[in-house]
Amino acid sequence: MGKEWIANLAQDIKQKGHETAESYGRSQHQAEIATTQGKQFFTAFLISLEDDVNEIKRQLQGDVTSSDTIIQRVTPSEVKLTRSRFPWFDARITHQEPNIALDYAKGLGVAGDPSLDRKTCHFAFHVDDDDVLSVQESFNDNPRRFHQPEELARHIVELLFQF
């Protein structure tokens, strides 16, 4: 009988902490999905990005606006893209769990100073209640969500190549 207060305290913890504990377990599960599937998403994104850039190069071949566009995989989680003109850009894309960041400078004509007027776009992995992974723009009032790696690749190619 002297330990009845412990039983009451344990019951109180169960009642009051149940929702918080379930929420914590769910967030841990989602973080694990973002980690494991995020690497696969990023790899598929890089393949799609390379395909899109190579297709643009093919479409511009022989035109006065043609320019070398270089994609360099620095590490498995970092890629660098450069183009010298029409438009020029200097970009770096990094995957650092649970985020993807695009840091870039660009201009309409020939290459400028890539250290000036740099912009950064952040994207965060998101796992919904059905355990489906997507990537969402961060720090945006109306964030766009990208369900497929190809969608994110297209968005970044448009950011870099559009005037």
Side-chain angles (χ1 to χ4, degrees):
M1 236 180 18
K3 299 292 183 177
E4 188 175 302
W5 68 272
I6 291 177
N8 290 338
L9 181 60
Q11 185 61 31
D12 191 42
I13 291 169
K14 287 178 186 178
Q15 288 176 349
K16 293 181 180 174
H18 186 79
E19 188 176 314
T20 304
E22 281 186 347
S23 177
Y24 175 78
R26 179 77 188 136
S27 69
Q28 292 297 104
H29 175 70
Q30 289 174 329
E32 178 64 25
I33 289 171
T35 298
T36 56
Q37 293 181 15
K39 291 175 185 173
Q40 297 166 356
F41 188 102
F42 188 74
T43 299
F45 155 74
L46 290 180
I47 291 167
S48 185
L49 182 72
E50 288 175 336
D51 289 347
D52 291 347
V53 168
N54 287 333
E55 182 60 27
I56 289 172
K57 287 165 55 173
R58 278 190 285 281
Q59 294 284 329
L60 294 176
Q61 190 172 12
D63 190 85
V64 295
T65 59
S66 179
S67 174
D68 278 339
T69 305
I70 299 168
I71 300 175
Q72 177 187 13
R73 289 196 187 201
V74 180
T75 68
S77 61
E78 182 177 353
V79 66
K80 183 174 177 162
L81 294 97
T82 54
R83 181 175 168 89
S84 60
R85 58 186 179 273
F86 316 123
W88 73 267
F89 55 77
D90 178 80
R92 186 173 299 271
I93 303 168
T94 55
H95 172 227
Q96 190 171 26
E97 294 178 31
N99 301 302
I100 295 174
L102 164 66
D103 176 67
Y104 70 99
K106 72 180 229 177
L108 303 179
V110 295
D113 185 348
S115 65
L116 298 177
D117 298 323
R118 293 195 76 80
K119 296 179 184 173
T120 304
C121 300
H122 295 273
F123 305 90
F125 285 104
H126 173 78
V127 179
D128 67 17
D129 292 336
D130 296 332
D131 292 345
V132 176
L133 180 77
S134 61
V135 174
Q136 180 175 305
E137 289 177 314
S138 303
F139 312 114
N140 195 334
D141 291 335
N142 272 331
R144 287 182 58 183
R145 184 166 286 175
F146 306 94
H147 296 280
Q148 300 297 321
E150 299 82 10
E151 295 172 344
L152 180 60
R154 178 181 176 169
H155 177 69
I156 290 177
V157 166
E158 289 174 346
L159 276 174
L160 295 176
F161 281 91
Q162 283 184 339
F163 287 87

